Amino acid sequence: NNLKNFPKTFTRLQNLREISIQENQFVALPPELGTISTLVTLNFDHAILRNPPPEIVDRGLEVILHFLRKLYDSRQTGEVDLKGLDMENLVAGEVWTTQIITSNVTKLNFKNNRLNQWPVFMCERISTNIKSLSLAGNKLRGLPIVFGNLAGLTKLNLSSNHLKALPASFSDLSKLSKLKLSNNEFNLLPPPVNELPALRTLIAFGNEFTSLPAQIANLSKLTFLDLSTNQLQTLPPEIGALTALSDLRLSHNDLERLPPEVGGLEALTCLHITHNRLVSLPA
């Protein structure tokens, strides 16, 4: 045969146990296949298939159906949840990623894969409707210089990677209200972070900060700041400008003193300062 598209009507046959579609021209399997729980055999031509990607196809029918079911569910939930699928290389996935990330999708979850880079096309071609993105638990060492194109983001999780810096365009994420940078390799708070006007939650524990920049005062809407388990030796007096701050976590650092300006944080309801080198507190 010379079929190019899998007939979606076949996916309504919920008692199917075996499908053979070899010697056709299919480049994609429909997400609806993931809803057929009775399927035990699926024969197709691996060479030309682009969706699912090879690293999913090579792991057998169970993983293929799990992947397709995730794509199917995204149409109802608006979330593409592909966490924990060990998809190491998205660079080769331009075809399938741009097909599945449609205008109704607002959340992307690529947590706990083995991604070593976030492709440029994922910043340039996916919908600006994306509000939430998780890239936690991967092997990222950097982000594309055009990462700021994801201007619709309000929540971003970059925890548990190998990041040491962020691109300048990161400051274009003007709607970002929650940012997780924990367990990376930053030795200073990346400058673009100080230019995020909507930021309310910043979680950056488990890095290598020794100090904070005075520009942190720009984050006037910040209500939650977690800098635990760094190497902080001092805090700038400008931290007193964070008048909306209600929760400040500084445990497991090397602080010997707190600036008097901390006493002016009148919205503060939670202050964690255990496991430092403090010998006194501001009067």
Side-chain angles (χ1 to χ4, degrees):
N1 294 307
N2 194 32
L3 297 173
K4 295 183 179 180
N5 296 303
F6 191 94
K8 290 186 179 180
T9 52
F10 280 19
T11 62
R12 299 173 188 168
L13 305 176
Q14 291 293 306
N15 293 317
L16 280 174
R17 293 181 56 82
E18 181 175 343
I19 299 177
S20 293
I21 51 175
Q22 293 165 307
E23 298 182 7
N24 282 287
Q25 301 297 315
F26 297 120
V27 296
L29 298 177
E32 289 83 358
L33 269 182
T35 67
I36 304 178
S37 59
T38 56
L39 198 61
V40 294
T41 302
L42 177 61
N43 297 317
F44 54 89
D45 294 317
H46 290 217
I48 62 174
L49 198 67
R50 296 294 178 267
N51 184 16
E55 49 201 331
I56 295 297
V57 170
D58 292 345
R59 288 155 61 192
L61 180 61
E62 184 177 352
V63 177
I64 292 173
L65 294 180
H66 177 70
F67 176 85
L68 292 174
R69 181 61 194 238
K70 291 285 190 180
L71 302 190
Y72 176 80
D73 289 344
S74 72
R75 297 176 178 177
Q76 281 69 46
T77 64
E79 177 179 7
V80 175
D81 182 0
L82 299 178
K83 63 178 179 289
L85 289 178
D86 288 337
M87 294 186 296
E88 186 170 358
N89 183 14
L90 277 186
V91 175
E94 185 166 1
V95 172
W96 71 265
T97 50
T98 52
Q99 286 177 345
I100 66 170
I101 303 173
T102 55
S103 59
N104 72 305
V105 172
T106 61
K107 298 180 181 180
L108 295 179
N109 190 347
F110 286 88
K111 183 179 180 180
N112 294 337
N113 281 279
R114 294 181 295 162
L115 299 177
N116 50 36
Q117 61 179 303
W118 186 245
V120 170
F121 69 79
M122 290 294 279
C123 301
E124 294 181 336
R125 298 188 184 181
I126 65 176
S127 171
T128 55
N129 292 334
I130 302 299
K131 307 297 183 188
S132 176
L133 172 62
S134 178
L135 297 175
N138 283 287
K139 301 190 296 183
L140 300 174
R141 295 187 177 276
L143 297 175
I145 60 174
V146 293
F147 194 84
N149 286 9
L150 300 174
L153 284 178
T154 61
K155 297 180 181 179
L156 176 60
N157 189 349
L158 296 173
S159 299
S160 301
N161 280 283
H162 302 287
L163 296 170
K164 296 182 178 181
L166 297 176
S169 69
F170 200 87
S171 62
D172 294 335
L173 303 179
S174 60
K175 297 180 181 179
L176 196 65
S177 63
K178 185 173 185 178
L179 175 61
K180 295 183 178 181
L181 297 175
S182 53
N183 294 321
N184 275 284
E185 299 174 13
F186 297 109
N187 56 25
L188 53 81
L189 188 64
V193 173
N194 299 311
E195 307 300 326
L196 299 174
L199 198 63
R200 294 180 179 274
T201 298
L202 175 57
I203 301 174
F205 63 80
N207 282 285
E208 302 170 9
F209 302 154
T210 57
S211 63
L212 290 179
Q215 290 81 3
I216 197 169
N218 296 340
L219 303 179
S220 59
K221 293 185 178 180
L222 206 62
T223 62
F224 185 99
L225 177 59
D226 189 347
L227 299 172
S228 305
T229 319
N230 276 279
Q231 300 169 23
L232 290 171
Q233 299 173 7
T234 62
L235 295 179
E238 288 80 4
I239 200 166
L242 304 181
T243 55
L245 200 62
S246 62
D247 195 323
L248 176 59
R249 305 190 178 197
L250 299 168
S251 299
H252 295 276
N253 278 286
D254 296 323
L255 295 169
E256 295 183 357
R257 58 180 293 275
L258 296 178
E261 288 78 7
V262 170
L265 299 176
E266 296 183 358
L268 206 61
T269 60
C270 184
L271 175 62
H272 292 202
I273 53 174
T274 60
H275 295 93
N276 277 281
R277 299 180 180 181
L278 297 168
V279 294
S280 64
L281 294 175

